[in-house]
Amino acid sequence: MVLQKRLDYGFNGYQVPPTPRATRSARRRVPFRKNVDDNQMCAFDLLATVAGKLLLEGENSPSSGNALTGKELCTIVKDSFKKEQKDEDNPSKAEPCDQGTCDGSFSFSELASHAPALRHSLKEFSHAHIDDCWGLASVITTSDCSEKVGSADKSKSKIQLGSFASKLEVGYQESCDFTVGNENKKQIKIESPKTGNALNVTKADICSSDDLAVRDRKPPALVSVNNRVKLPSCIDQIPSSSFPACRDDVKLVIRDDDENSSGCSQPSTTTKTFGSPLCIGNRRIRKFFSSKYWKVTPKLKDEEHFNADSEIKPVYHNRKICYKRRRSQRDYPFKKRRLYDRSSVSNFEGISREGISSSPRKGFSCDASGSSATPCGASGISACVAGQHTSFQSRDSHVKLRIKSFKVPELVIEIPESATVGSLKRTVMDAVTAILGGGLRVGVLLQGKKIRDDNKTLLQTGISHNNKLDALGFSLEPNPLQAPQSLCHEDRPFLLACDTPRPLTRYPLAPSVVHNVVQQRSADTLPDPPLSSLGNFIESDHDSAPSPPDMSIDKSPTHSRALVAVPAMNVEALAVVPMRKSKRSDAVQRRIRRPFSVYEVEALVQAVEKLGTGRWREVKLRAFDNAKHRTYVDLKDKWKTLVHTARISPQQRRGEPVPQELLDRVLTAHAYWSQQEAKQQLKQQHSETCRL
DNA sequence: CTTAGGG
DNA sequence: CCCTAAG
């Protein structure tokens, strides 16, 4: 509690730059970011966890051998605080401190330096919360890729769409069996309580068998997950998707081809808990979206590695790597493939124009493992509309429908066998999130037939109260137009493919899901995000999705989490990629627009208040270190627009409204720093004059 | 690589 | 957000 309180401190006064301008190089040498990247997280996590506010989802690694006691932690924190206070003293005195909280507050960068020591403890602390934050866990029934009997009807997950509201209700699912390799059928039952508390799996048996030994060069194990995913409503818990790279992978194929399954969910009662977590080696999680549905190129690029293997390495080192990779990976195999299927895409002009081409094809088989359970024509996600509750009508010729659930399309996930269950969760979550938040469109089926003409009226189509609505079905399909939005970061193009286009009802499936997640998360855990910490909550990204705050946990040396989704098969036939205006084929596509959330703005403002307007790199490091998609240039630009926004009338503002309070702070800070700069210049002039 | 600014 | 000149 005490800690939490500390966290809530507000503006701490402007901080005069160490030595304006002239010290850039000097500043660089100072490993300001020394421990910030990774450790800072830990520190924060710790604090938040202790405060009971932050829910961590992470690897359940038991490696917490040398956990610190609560006492020790406190000591560390206290020390940090003292130190910070001392450091801050000078600057604060001379500077304005309008926010009134100039008392003591510690900075995370300080505390962060203790992170290494805290890490283990964090684990201890976080364990209790691990599951809590994984509310979205979609438990899946897994089975070998092939048509292993009985596997099909185990899938029960569904996605519930609340009566066509634009909210996605994520409900959930029950059991999950993982079949590892072609051999022993290891089963992992994962149960997700209705409460939203998710997977109980602490240890997956995935790497236990010999053939799946955690050896570095082992070929990826293939795990097929046959399922339906019913997503819980706590979307705010959706973790982001940042997974560093590694080697051994386990592939999970989550399919929706359980045609046998009724689609009804039945709570599983079995829960297997495993004694210890998965062993960890390098891990690389590759997510495969079934070729016929989505394809996601590796998102692990520059920043992906940033915190991955950089536990100790200096920042700059990483940065370099990052940049290099960014360039070198442009030729990622899946990135730029695009195929056309004129005939079938004909009614998708829009898509093509949008820069996405798709080559819907109906009869390809489905997954890499050879099992092609899903009829290709089937939509990626099908919905169960049947049942008594399914449809009924009202007097005024309105058709009322109740969609009970949607099936999630097949997902193929490749994950190192050494990965933790936590990362597995995240991976699956990511995949699901990618689908849900990445852009879906709804397909309508009537008596098994897809209705493609969006212009027909329901009546014309036969979806009227006079007809058997039982025969009406909906499907969630990848929406080429939206998909790239969420999961597809600049570095993780979200390739998707769909079979025959059957656009119909466009359902506003919150492309903002991910975004919201971030926000809510921030809100819940970070009332007043201290500098440097907010950043950790941002991003993710989606990647998206947004890599949740738990990143730190996953930072154990060896694991990087690379999240790569690639089509399980038939890549060529299905790849859908953004098409550039036929200029240079290798032209880099413009990054997707990602409006700053209020929380990000908050973080930015706070950081700028403290650091000033000329130190964007530090601002970035401090407040957006983990927001991979926010570059310092972005921050600078954002500040620019913020200042502008703050100056114009509220009526002229667009986008998500920024609290006036923040805008005021923007102006204040801007004014202050402008003044500082002016002073600085005056001084210089003066000194020069004196010299002459 | 960072900054600062214009586009 | 992008692009670039400058440092």
Side-chain angles (χ1 to χ4, degrees):
Chain A
M1 272 315 155
V2 176
L3 293 179
Q4 181 59 44
K5 189 142 191 190
R6 295 296 187 197
L7 283 174
D8 293 334
Y9 79 106
F11 178 49
N12 195 35
Y14 294 106
Q15 179 189 74
V16 174
T19 312
R21 304 300 168 219
T23 50
R24 196 164 93 192
S25 55
R27 280 203 305 274
R28 276 188 194 163
R29 274 193 295 280
V30 179
F32 162 81
R33 186 180 173 263
K34 188 171 55 181
N35 300 302
V36 184
D37 58 340
D38 176 66
N39 303 325
Q40 161 180 302
M41 254 323 257
C42 292
F44 180 73
D45 286 348
L46 166 66
L47 297 173
T49 305
V50 170
K53 280 223 157 195
L54 176 60
L55 302 183
L56 296 172
E57 148 61 18
E59 47 189 323
N60 309 321
S61 170
S63 61
S64 46
N66 42 358
L68 295 179
T69 64
K71 214 174 180 180
E72 287 172 289
L73 286 172
C74 287
T75 307
I76 289 173
V77 173
K78 264 186 214 158
D79 289 344
S80 293
F81 172 61
K82 282 180 190 166
K83 199 172 171 192
E84 173 73 8
Q85 196 173 23
K86 211 168 71 183
D87 294 339
E88 301 275 324
D89 265 347
N90 302 325
S92 318
K93 272 176 193 163
E95 307 305 329
C97 201
D98 42 298
Q99 307 301 316
T101 26
C102 281
D103 56 335
S105 65
F106 61 82
S107 77
F108 282 100
S109 44
E110 257 326 292
L111 182 52
S113 55
H114 295 292
L118 299 180
R119 180 185 297 283
H120 295 302
S121 303
L122 284 176
K123 278 179 184 161
E124 294 292 288
F125 276 90
S126 60
H127 271 319
H129 301 291
I130 286 175
D131 286 338
D132 296 331
C133 75
W134 196 260
L136 230 190
S138 62
V139 184
I140 29 197
T141 307
T142 350
S143 68
D144 197 310
C145 294
S146 51
E147 47 282 34
K148 293 248 160 139
V149 189
S151 58
D153 33 53
K154 281 182 185 171
S155 12
K156 309 285 158 82
S157 338
K158 300 173 192 170
I159 298 167
Q160 290 190 332
L161 292 185
S163 55
F164 276 149
S166 48
K167 278 182 189 168
L168 206 58
E169 214 183 275
V170 197
Y172 311 14
Q173 181 6 9
E174 67 274 55
S175 65
C176 160
D177 307 331
F178 287 111
T179 302
V180 182
N182 302 321
E183 318 213 355
N184 319 327
K185 211 173 180 178
K186 307 268 172 187
Q187 291 204 323
I188 300 174
K189 287 254 180 175
I190 302 176
E191 179 182 74
S192 32
K194 290 176 184 174
T195 59
N197 292 329
L199 310 183
N200 255 341
V201 184
T202 8
K203 171 191 177 183
D205 216 356
I206 300 181
C207 65
S208 65
S209 62
D210 283 293
D211 49 302
L212 285 176
V214 198
R215 254 177 265 125
D216 265 353
R217 270 158 275 145
K218 277 233 83 185
L222 245 192
V223 178
S224 160
V225 182
N226 194 337
N227 88 314
R228 277 196 179 183
V229 180
K230 191 171 180 181
L231 305 150
S233 53
C234 38
I235 47 178
D236 59 323
Q237 302 291 9
I238 297 176
S240 85
S241 46
S242 41
F243 297 72
C246 50
R247 295 169 224 164
D248 298 339
D249 301 331
V250 172
K251 289 179 185 171
L252 301 182
V253 180
I254 299 177
R255 301 198 319 220
D256 61 318
D257 52 352
D258 51 322
E259 300 300 329
N260 311 334
S261 80
S262 61
C264 307
S265 64
Q266 10 171 289
S268 134
T269 35
T270 2
T271 303
K272 252 186 207 169
T273 338
F274 300 80
S276 61
L278 284 170
C279 5
I280 313 267
N282 280 335
R283 43 182 182 165
R284 169 189 215 148
I285 300 170
R286 304 182 88 205
K287 196 185 292 180
F288 288 73
F289 281 60
S290 160
S291 52
K292 80 181 143 184
Y293 303 119
W294 280 277
K295 193 171 67 169
V296 181
T297 52
K299 88 167 224 178
L300 83 138
K301 289 226 167 160
D302 34 22
E303 295 88 347
E304 284 310 311
H305 307 280
F306 202 81
N307 297 321
D309 40 28
S310 59
E311 291 253 323
I312 321 165
K313 295 176 194 169
V315 184
Y316 288 99
H317 187 128
N318 292 321
R319 295 175 80 82
K320 260 181 192 169
I321 292 176
C322 295
Y323 282 92
K324 277 179 183 167
R325 298 223 182 174
R326 169 167 263 156
R327 260 145 203 162
S328 64
Q329 289 194 14
R330 277 184 191 155
D331 49 357
Y332 191 77
F334 301 105
K335 191 170 182 180
K336 295 160 188 171
R337 250 180 259 172
R338 67 173 189 237
L339 303 138
Y340 289 90
D341 183 331
R342 233 51 193 96
S343 60
S344 38
V345 195
S346 58
N347 54 345
F348 256 83
E349 291 303 320
I351 294 178
S352 298
R353 266 204 308 271
E354 288 296 322
I356 295 175
S357 66
S358 68
S359 64
R361 187 159 302 249
K362 266 193 168 177
F364 58 84
S365 51
C366 312
D367 78 69
S369 67
S371 73
S372 57
T374 315
C376 299
S379 54
I381 304 175
S382 64
C384 309
V385 187
Q388 315 97 292
H389 309 302
T390 307
S391 58
F392 43 92
Q393 65 216 33
S394 63
R395 305 167 211 128
D396 48 331
S397 299
H398 280 204
V399 182
K400 285 190 180 178
L401 308 169
R402 174 179 296 171
I403 299 173
K404 296 172 79 178
S405 71
F406 278 104
K407 259 198 320 186
V408 164
E410 172 175 320
L411 297 177
V412 181
I413 297 170
E414 186 180 310
I415 184 173
E417 39 194 43
S418 57
T420 60
V421 172
S423 65
L424 170 59
K425 291 178 192 171
R426 274 185 293 271
T427 305
V428 174
M429 186 60 247
D430 250 4
V432 175
T433 304
I435 295 174
L436 299 180
L440 288 174
R441 67 163 184 242
V442 172
V444 174
L445 302 89
L446 188 58
Q447 295 181 354
K449 273 188 173 180
K450 282 176 186 154
I451 303 175
R452 291 169 193 167
D453 189 346
D454 284 355
N455 299 317
K456 277 187 184 176
T457 65
L458 295 185
L459 198 57
Q460 291 176 319
T461 312
I463 307 178
S464 65
H465 54 277
N466 298 319
N467 288 295
K468 20 190 169 165
L469 293 178
D470 289 348
L472 182 61
F474 293 91
S475 63
L476 296 185
E477 310 159 357
N479 184 343
L481 291 176
Q482 293 184 358
Q485 279 295 309
S486 68
L487 233 197
C488 193
H489 307 171
E490 61 280 24
D491 43 11
R492 186 165 57 159
F494 195 34
L495 305 180
L496 44 94
C498 52
D499 40 343
T500 315
R502 37 223 136 88
L504 238 186
T505 313
R506 275 269 156 85
Y507 189 75
L509 266 190
S512 55
V513 168
V514 173
H515 197 67
N516 292 332
V517 169
V518 173
Q519 285 191 9
Q520 288 186 34
R521 181 150 218 139
S522 298
D524 293 345
T525 58
L526 257 191
D528 187 16
L531 293 178
S532 79
S533 60
L534 213 194
N536 297 319
F537 287 84
I538 302 171
E539 166 55 350
S540 281
D541 167 127
H542 9 206
D543 175 115
S544 268
S547 181
D550 49 329
M551 285 197 61
S552 60
I553 306 188
D554 249 315
K555 263 178 212 145
S556 318
T558 38
H559 359 18
S560 0
R561 303 182 286 162
L563 209 173
V564 181
V566 293
M569 56 175 295
N570 270 337
V571 178
E572 335 73 43
L574 302 165
V576 179
V577 284
M579 182 170 71
R580 272 162 236 114
K581 295 186 179 177
S582 64
K583 259 198 170 180
R584 292 181 203 100
S585 57
D586 59 324
V588 186
Q589 92 182 62
R590 189 188 178 96
R591 288 191 300 161
I592 60 172
R593 186 169 176 274
R594 287 169 156 181
F596 275 68
S597 68
V598 173
Y599 292 95
E600 286 179 298
V601 171
E602 161 93 29
L604 176 60
V605 171
Q606 212 162 332
V608 174
E609 282 174 336
K610 190 148 190 162
L611 301 172
T613 53
R615 301 153 73 190
W616 300 109
R617 191 183 78 90
E618 283 173 51
V619 168
K620 152 74 177 168
L621 260 31
R622 181 154 194 157
F624 292 80
D625 199 23
N626 280 17
K628 302 151 200 162
H629 57 295
R630 302 295 189 200
T631 67
Y632 43 72
V633 175
D634 291 333
L635 301 180
K636 182 224 29 171
D637 287 343
K638 180 55 184 175
W639 182 261
K640 183 171 63 179
T641 63
L642 271 177
V643 171
H644 178 256
T645 302
R647 286 171 172 164
I648 62 179
S649 68
Q651 293 77 42
Q652 302 177 67
R653 296 169 191 164
R654 290 183 297 175
E656 188 180 13
V658 177
Q660 188 57 44
E661 177 258 340
L662 275 179
L663 292 177
D664 291 341
R665 285 169 67 187
V666 167
L667 287 181
T668 305
H670 186 262
Y672 173 76
W673 288 108
S674 295
Q675 189 187 325
Q676 284 300 301
E677 200 173 339
K679 282 184 182 175
Q680 204 58 48
Q681 286 185 348
L682 272 179
K683 272 186 183 176
Q684 275 190 359
Q685 283 185 12
H686 188 267
S687 61
E688 281 178 25
T689 311
C690 287
R691 235 178 278 156
L692 298 175

